[in-house]
């Protein structure tokens, strides 16, 4: 239904209520009727408003036809009511009679007629809103929402591709099926594990029980894993597939699943635990007891390719059992592989039940196989008109030969059943005659191997075209080593063969392969044991059939590369714009431009190469100037583009790492350098490749180091629409990649897992090798203050929610929540024996047993917050506190051993030493203690001129101490007893960390750099790149990687020993803010040395340096005529400079603070400065104060075009929320207020942060203002609202030169008719903005900005002219982006249109 109809009814109803209220006081004899009518219309309006809100939130709705008609009819009836109540006509009649009071215009009958109609409409809508869940009104289009779930095709037992797969025939597997059925009826069931060796019939039983459960309505969902079969070989779509099936099986769950998808559109790409919780558990909890007991059937779990995911899946199943209101059981089948056996061993026997198929008595299995063979042979006999065939003796022979393997019997039947020139009797006799033969293989698979050899030999005899062993090994060998299943059509295209050639090779093997009649349906192995047989030379001893794994993979790798060379190209999907995102692409667009063979080749060519031998790799071209070298020089970006489009970037990183490892022998230095550069290129640009792959050709190349091999080879400046100069980086530095995770703390596990704690109360686990987010841990309710991994791999987190959480990172499960602290937990640490200590602002320490989650002891004694703690080498626990003491505790008994006193201010850090303890405090001292005697051994006092602040310490086992002081990092060698300073610079040290090998120390400072030092007290390098103060750093356990996070939430991964050392430029060159002159011919910047620089932005050359300030500069702005420059400083002054000569024209004693506002008037004769509630106007010629506007508190100001008036916009804030904003108009000459207007925000006061912008139109007839959620046009004289536009995130406003457009950072608002607007396209002002990494021009994405190149300060760290931008690099250097006409001519996004002549 059109939402506009509902809005129209609401508006009419509101008018009627307003009219009725006027009658209430005048009409005495109808008050009861009036009140009743008011109540009914109010109820109806409220219902309609509720409907409107639901429509707005849901996006699409389905109202019953009766409700739609009722709403439309109600509009006419209420409109009629309005006309009857309107006093305009009645006033004339009443005035002629000399009466002023209103009279009630309805008779009793007419009044009841209106009330009855409104009551009917209310009842109709209430009926719709309260209808049964199966026909929910105002719901999301469920099928459309559920279609967003990624489904693994062929996962279900009844899918098209599995329609010919067998199920248990009658009278077989009776006991097993009965036991499974009985278990499925139990109330407290959880997991039934059916396990057995290959060929024991697990999948057949799984399909049968799934079909039986489906018939009774108790099958919730099912997933049949299959190794090497695309999405069936991994868990990537496991949960979403189950959720999609569950939604179809239990319709009442659909609204809850749709809600989860709507609230989290990226749920399909997040970790399995989050998917399981939001798509399975939460919908089941919301619908508890409203659905029958459900069972999931999971087959061949051992064929999931990731052991960690197998363990996680089992863990998720166990956790589901914890919800008593959920009646959900799991039947799992698998081989008894080690990861699964261990997973079930760790479970309680109450949770799971086992059945081992190969332990079932032999006579029972042989009976079932006999029944199976008798049934199958009877079907074959009917087809061939064979009576009494075969006899019992022949069937018994096959039963004995099967050795209790159902796969043997099934293979025999398929072989005899397939089309053949030989009759079934002869085929069976051949099998029987050869079944006693030996020499093929020994062991448990001997009988199975025999039947495979017999079938292959018979097949070759019948088909002379396949007697060529080479053809067999090329085609069938490829089928068995493929990483994903392919159809005949796809395989032939990949191998460079015709379909007939492929069909000729595989058609005789129908008893071993599932070869569909449809050439576009995938070929499948009927059983994985056939693959094992062909690849094992000890089992397959016929040379014609042996498949050499290395040779088969070599052929596939070569075929993949040849296909890619022929097909890959830039913009392979023919997207219309380079900023197109993957989320905007439909799957059919990708599939139509990139068929399955291309996608397969892109994903797996490296995997096949890896499985070949070294010599075979060289044959493929893994050498300098070989096929792979040429591929990287021509198709690298094309290949990466495809990986981005198919959402497989992480695998791309892994493939490049594999190539690097293959090249480590040093024989191919050129190719190795190319692959290394490609890896750095991909890691650096991973984020944009996953979002907008075509940005590879612009952004990724543009922001890569100037000497990057990838950039050098692919970047053509002459043809690129964007040019960058000068390039801040020459080569790859030590920063591998940047992760955006809002981090507050970081920690590495011993096995290399990275954890980061966040402000949003979550913990993120990362794979530092690829940068991929593995999972998000949710359990805390406030920010994470501390993280620590145990030696055994578990993770502890402390939070400001006063709890400590213990996690199993391998599964993402919350093991326990430790409660007891009453304030923020700021420190956690594990002891060598696995005990956990936590320190809190509640002045206590607590020792926990992580295994049981039990509290072992509480240490009380500190009189202020516990700030730090550490386990000492001898097992004691040390704690530092704001009470200025360090206390030593016995973790076993909880007793206080000693109190170390001496610090005169808070203790901020402690570290264990081989012979004691070292502590640091805000008193500016570092103290060395003998912990056995409790006495001070040594003390070092920080020089007074350095200042005092927090210090952090780290000590290696060998006794090298890293001390991060206020403004320096120092190393202390305990054996020498000498405390030596590494550096005493002007930056404040925040934190330090020492690598485990004691060879490197790292210091993080508030100058946004990490500094590395070696044991010889020599500085190794500075690691630049952070845009905020560094909060935490940590080395990996091998010391090869370093992670750091800053106050902007950026997480950076470094390899300290890799990349060129491009340290920061001198302090005097550290640019902090920039501003363009209006004509774009000059750029002004300020530096840390308190000077202003003027630059030629075209050449990038420095024109002059303006000196005079003694403290840092905080603001710079040009006059509109470009002749003057104004700057403010922390010294409280404003200086006016001649921009041509650089001379100071005036010094204004404005006494401004950090956040001061300065603005030139349009005629450049006045300068407005604001701070501390007073705004001052200055004469720019004389420097004298013209006026002072008192009690003026604006967030944004603007001069009128005639320079006579000044308007300010401000927001009044209460409890960090904005309740209304205020416009104030002032006279510039007198400094007096002219008019003030306060306007409330629509809706609730939910603006925690508010951006205000305000602009006059060129003719001064309009005034525009913007807040977070709306943009408003005003009458600038009356300060009256003309129109309000619903906009979000508008921070900048600019009118076009002719006033026909209002240009914003979100797009353009048209202010005149289309014909007028079209004639003035060239007058549009260019409004540049940054939003979540994207550079936008008038609301349209133009370029993704690499994190290293984003401005240090969003408002002042970059400047815009008409055709170029100046940005401050993370190193503190300026670089420029120059845009050619192809970018500048991009049509702006129109966000609203209004004809201002109608206002």
């Amino acid at each position: 239904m059109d939402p506009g109809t509902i809005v129209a009814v609401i508006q009419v109803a509101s008018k009627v209520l307003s009219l009725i209220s006027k009658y209430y006081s005048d009409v005495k004899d109808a008050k009861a009727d009036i009140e009743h009518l008011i109540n009914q219309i109010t109820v109806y309006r409220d219902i309609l408003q509720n409907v409107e809100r639901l429509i707005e939130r849901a996006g699409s709705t389905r109202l019953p036809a009766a409700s739609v008609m009722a709403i439309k009819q109600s509009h006419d009836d209420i409109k009629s009511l309005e006309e009857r109540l309107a006093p305009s006509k009645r006033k004339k009649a009443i005035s002629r009679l000399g009466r002023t009071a209103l009279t009630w215009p309805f008779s009793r009958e007419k009044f009841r007629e209106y009330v009855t109609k409104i009551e009917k409409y209310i009842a109709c809508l209430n009926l719709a809103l309260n209808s049964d869940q199966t026909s929910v009104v105002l719901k999301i289009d469920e099928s459309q929402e559920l279609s967003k779930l990624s489904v693994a095709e062929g996962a279900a037992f009844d899918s098209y591709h599995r329609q010919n797969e067998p199920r248990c025939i009658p009278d077989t597997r009776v006991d097993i099926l009965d036991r499974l059925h009985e278990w499925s009826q139990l109330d407290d069931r959880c997991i039934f594990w059916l396990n057995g060796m290959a060929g024991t019939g697990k999948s057949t039983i799984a399909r049968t029980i799934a079909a039986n459960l489906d018939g009774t309505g108790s099958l919730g969902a099912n997933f049949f894993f299959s190794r090497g079969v695309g999405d069936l070989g991994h868990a990537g779509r496991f949960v979403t597939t189950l959720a999609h099936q569950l939604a179809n099986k239990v319709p009442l769950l659909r609204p809850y699943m749709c809600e989860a998808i709507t609230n989290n559109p990226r749920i399909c790409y997040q970790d399995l635990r989050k998917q399981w919780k939001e798509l399975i558990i939460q919908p089941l909890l919301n619908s508890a007891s409203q659905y029958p007991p459900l069972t999931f059937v999971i087959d061949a779990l051992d064929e999931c390719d990731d052991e960690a995911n197998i363990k996680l899946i089992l863990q998720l199943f166990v956790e589901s059992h914890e919800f008593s209101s959920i009646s959900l059981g799991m039947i799992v089948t698998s081989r008894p592989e080690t990861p699964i056996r261990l997973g079930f061993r760790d479970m309680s026997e109450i949770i799971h039940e086992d059945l081992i198929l190969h332990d079932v008595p032999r006579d029972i299995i042989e009976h079932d196989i006999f029944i199976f063979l008798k049934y199958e042979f009877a079907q074959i006999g009917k087809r061939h008109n064979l009576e009494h065939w075969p006899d019992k003796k022949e069937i018994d022979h096959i039963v004995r030969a099967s050795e209790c393997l159902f796969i043997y019997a099934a293979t025999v039947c398929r072989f005899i059943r397939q089309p053949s020139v030989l009759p079934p009797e002869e085929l069976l006799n051949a099998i029987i005659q050869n079944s006693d033969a030996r020499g093929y293989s020994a062991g448990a698979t001997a009988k199975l191997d025999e039947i495979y050899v017999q079938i292959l030999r018979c097949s070759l005899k019948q088909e002379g075209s396949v007697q060529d062993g080479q053809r067999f090994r090329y085609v069938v060998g490829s089928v068995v080593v493929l990483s994903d299943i392919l159809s005949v059509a796809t395989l032939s295209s990949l191998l460079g063969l015709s379909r007939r050639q492929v069909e000729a090779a595989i058609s005789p093997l129908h008893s071993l392969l599932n070869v569909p009649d449809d050439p576009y349906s995938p070929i499948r192995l009927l059983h994985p044991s056939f693959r094992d047989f062909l690849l094992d030379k000890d089992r397959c001893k016929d040379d014609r059939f042996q498949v050499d794994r290395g040779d088969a993979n070599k052929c596939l790798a070569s075929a993949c590369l040849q296909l890619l060379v022929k097909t890959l190209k830039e913009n392979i999907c023919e997207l219309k714009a380079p900023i197109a995102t993957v989320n905007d692409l439909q799957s059919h667009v990708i599939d139509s431009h990139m068929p399955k063979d291309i996608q397969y080749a892109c994903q797996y060519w490296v995997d096949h190469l890896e499985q070949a031998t070294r010599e075979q790799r060289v044959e493929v071209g893994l050498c300098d100037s070989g096929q792979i070298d040429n591929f990287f020089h021509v198709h690298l970006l094309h290949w990466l583009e495809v990986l981005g489009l198919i959402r497989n970037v992480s695998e791309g990183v892994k493939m490049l790492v594999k190539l690097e490892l293959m090249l480590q022998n040093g024989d191919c230095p050129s190719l190795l350098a190319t692959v290394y550069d490609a890896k750095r290129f991909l890691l650096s640009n991973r984020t944009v490749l996953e979002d907008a792959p075509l940005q590879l050709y612009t952004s990724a190349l543009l922001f890569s180091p100037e000497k990057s091999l990838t950039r050098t080879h692919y970047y053509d400046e002459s043809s690129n629409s964007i040019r960058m100069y000068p390039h801040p980086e020459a080569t790859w530095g030590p920063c591998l990649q940047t992760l955006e995770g809002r981090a507050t703390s970081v920690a590495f596990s011993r096995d290399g897992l990275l954890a980061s704690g966040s402000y949003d109360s979550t913990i993120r686990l990362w794979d530092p090798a690829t940068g991929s987010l593995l999972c998000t841990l949710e359990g805390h309710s406030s920010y994470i203050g501390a993280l620590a991994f145990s030696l055994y791999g578990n993770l502890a987190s402390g939070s400001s929610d006063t709890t400590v959480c213990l996690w199993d990172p391998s599964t993402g499960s919350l093991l326990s929540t430790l409660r007891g602290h009453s304030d923020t937990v700021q420190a956690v640490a594990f002891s060598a024996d696995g005990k956990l200590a936590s320190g809190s602002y509640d002045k206590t320490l607590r020792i926990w047993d992580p295994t049981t989650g039990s509290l072992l002891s509480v240490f009380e004694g500190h009189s202020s917050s516990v700030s730090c703690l550490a386990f000492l080498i001898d097992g004691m626990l040390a704690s530092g506190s704001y009470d200025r003491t360090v206390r030593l505790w016995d973790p076993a008994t909880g007793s206080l051993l000693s109190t170390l006193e001496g610090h005169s201010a808070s203790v901020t850090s402690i570290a264990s030493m081989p012979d004691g303890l070292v502590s640091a405090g805000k008193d500016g001292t570092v103290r060395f203690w003998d912990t056995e005697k409790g006495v001070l051994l040594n003390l070092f006092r920080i020089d007074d001129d350095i200042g005092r602040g927090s210090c952090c310490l780290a000590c290696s086992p060998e006794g090298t101490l890293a001390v991060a002081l206020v403004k320096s990092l120092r190393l202390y060698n305990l054996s020498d007893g000498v405390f030596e300073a590494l550096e005493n610079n002007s930056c404040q040290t925040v934190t330090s960390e020492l690598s485990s090998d004691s060879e490197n120390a790292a210091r993080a400072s508030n100058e946004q750099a990490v500094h590395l030092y070696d044991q010889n007290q020599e500085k190794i390098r500075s690691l630049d790149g952070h845009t905020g103060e560094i909060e935490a750093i940590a080395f990996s356990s091998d010391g090869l990687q370093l992670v750091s996070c800053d106050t902007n939430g950026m997480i950076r991964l470094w390899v300290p020993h890799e990349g060129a050392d491009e340290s920061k430029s001198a302090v005097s060159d550290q640019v902090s803010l920039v501003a363009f002159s209006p004509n774009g011919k000059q750029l002004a910047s300020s530096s840390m040395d308190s000077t202003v620089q003027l630059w030629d932005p075209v050449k990038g050359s420095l024109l002059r340096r303006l000196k005079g300030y003694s403290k840092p500069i905080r603001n710079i702005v040009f006059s509109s005529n470009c002749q003057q420059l104004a700057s403010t400083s922390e010294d409280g002054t404003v200086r006016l400079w001649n921009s041509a000569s650089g001379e100071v024209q005036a010094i204004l004693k404005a006494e401004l603070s950090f956040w001061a506002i300065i603005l030139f008037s349009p005629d450049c004769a006045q300068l407005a400065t604001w701070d501390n509630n007073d705004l001052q106007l200055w004469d720019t010629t004389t420097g004298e104060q013209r006026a002072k506007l008192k009690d003026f508190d604006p967030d944004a100001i603007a001069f009128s075009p005639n320079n006579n008036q000044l308007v300010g916009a401000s927001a009044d804030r209460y409890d960090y929320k904005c309740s209304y904003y205020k416009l104030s108009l002032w006279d510039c000459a007198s400094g007096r207020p002219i008019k003030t207007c306060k306007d409330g925000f629509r809706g609730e006061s939910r603006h925690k942060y508010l951006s205000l912008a305000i602009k006059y139109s060129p003719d001064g007839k309009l005034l525009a203002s913007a807040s977070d959620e709306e943009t408003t046009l005003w009458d600038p004289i009356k300060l009256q609202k003309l129109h309000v536009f619903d906009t979000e995130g508008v921070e900048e406003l600019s009118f076009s030169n002719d006033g026909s457009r209002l240009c914003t950072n979100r797009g353009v608002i048209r202010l005149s008719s289309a014909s007028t607007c079209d004639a003035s396209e060239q007058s549009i002002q260019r409004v540049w903005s940054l939003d979540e990494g994207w550079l936008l021009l008038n609301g349209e994405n133009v370029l993704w900005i690499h994190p290293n190149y984003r401005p240090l300060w969003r408002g002042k760290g970059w400047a815009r002219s008409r055709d170029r931008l100046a940005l401050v690099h993370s190193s503190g250097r300026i670089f420029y982006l120059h845009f050619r006409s192809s970018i500048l001519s991009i049509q702006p996004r129109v966000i609203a249109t209004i004809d201002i002549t109608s206002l």
Side-chain angles (χ1 to χ4, degrees), residues 784-912:
I784 310 300
L787 294 172
F789 280 99
S790 71
L791 294 177
Y792 308 103
N794 284 346
L795 176 66
S797 58
S799 168
S800 63
D801 65 6
T802 75
T803 68
V804 177
C805 286
L806 285 170
W807 312 84
D808 180 352
S810 63
T811 64
S813 58
L814 176 62
L815 301 177
S816 58
T817 300
L818 312 181
R819 294 181 170 86
H821 286 294
S822 59
D823 207 337
T824 297
V825 179
Q826 190 62 22
V828 290
F830 281 98
S831 65
D833 62 358
K835 297 294 188 297
L836 174 64
S838 59
S840 168
Y841 286 174
D842 66 4
K843 309 175 187 179
T844 70
L845 289 87
R846 294 172 185 259
I847 302 294
W848 313 82
D849 181 345
T851 304
T852 63
S854 59
L855 177 65
L856 300 179
S857 55
V858 179
F859 301 168
E860 296 180 338
H862 284 294
S863 60
S864 188
S865 301
V866 177
S867 57
C868 50
L869 51 83
F871 279 98
L872 306 185
I873 293 175
D874 59 6
M876 285 193 294
L877 176 64
S879 59
S881 168
Y882 291 167
D883 67 5
R884 309 177 184 181
T885 68
V886 176
R887 297 178 186 249
L888 301 179
W889 313 81
D890 183 343
T893 64
S895 59
L896 176 64
L897 301 177
S898 62
T899 300
L900 309 180
E901 297 179 332
H903 283 288
S904 59
S906 300
V907 178
T908 58
S909 186
I910 53 178
S912 173

Side-chain angles (χ1 to χ4, degrees), residues 72-90:
K72 292 180 178 180
Q73 183 62 44
S74 70
H75 178 271
D76 296 336
D77 288 335
I78 299 177
K79 187 70 176 176
S80 172
L81 188 61
E82 178 197 9
E83 293 173 356
R84 293 287 300 270
L85 291 168
S88 55
K89 296 179 180 179
R90 300 184 57 79

Side-chain angles (χ1 to χ4, degrees), residues 1166 1173-1177 1185-1192 1203-1206 1224-1235:
Q1166 300 177 83
N1173 295 326
D1174 289 335
L1175 188 142
Q1176 302 173 74
L1177 295 176
Q1185 187 182 100
R1186 284 190 171 187
K1188 191 170 187 178
L1189 286 58
K1190 293 185 177 294
D1191 299 324
F1192 188 39
N1203 309 286
N1204 294 332
Q1205 294 174 340
L1206 185 74
S1224 299
L1225 188 64
W1226 298 73
D1227 180 76
C1228 293
S1230 64
R1232 294 179 179 176
I1234 300 173
K1235 187 179 288 290

Side-chain angles (χ1 to χ4, degrees), residues 1111-1143:
K1111 292 186 178 181
I1113 297 164
R1114 293 307 181 193
N1115 213 334
I1116 48 178
V1117 63
F1118 279 95
S1119 61
S1120 59
N1121 60 13
C1122 307
Q1123 295 177 7
Q1124 283 184 307
L1125 177 72
S1127 58
T1128 67
S1129 167
E1130 287 185 10
D1131 65 11
T1133 65
V1134 178
R1135 292 177 183 248
L1136 291 173
W1137 312 82
N1138 183 303
S1139 59
S1141 65
E1143 296 178 352

Side-chain angles (χ1 to χ4, degrees), residues 686-745:
R686 171 197 170 99
T687 303
V688 70
L689 179 56
E690 291 178 325
D691 184 32
L694 294 186
Q695 285 292 296
L696 278 175
Y697 305 99
T698 51
S699 172
L701 290 175
L702 191 69
F703 293 116
S704 294
E706 197 168 20
K707 295 181 181 179
S708 157
L709 296 179
T710 305
R711 187 183 196 273
T712 301
H713 187 78
Y714 285 99
Y715 183 70
D716 182 3
E717 186 173 289
S718 62
S719 62
N720 205 303
S721 57
I722 306 172
R723 182 171 72 95
M724 182 169 68
Y725 64 97
H727 205 296
E729 296 180 335
T731 58
W732 293 110
C735 182
L736 277 178
Q737 54 188 315
T738 300
L739 313 174
E740 301 185 43
R742 299 297 301 156
T744 57
S745 51

Side-chain angles (χ1 to χ4, degrees), residues 87 278 310 429 867 1064 1113:
E278 296 187 8
I310 292 175
N429 288 335
S867 57
K1064 277 194 173 185
I1113 297 164

Side-chain angles (χ1 to χ4, degrees), residues 1056-1074:
H1057 302 289
E1058 284 192 23
D1061 181 13
E1062 294 194 69
S1063 299
K1064 277 194 173 185
S1065 53
V1067 173
S1068 62
D1069 293 331
Q1070 298 304 298
V1071 173
S1072 56
L1073 60 144
V1074 287

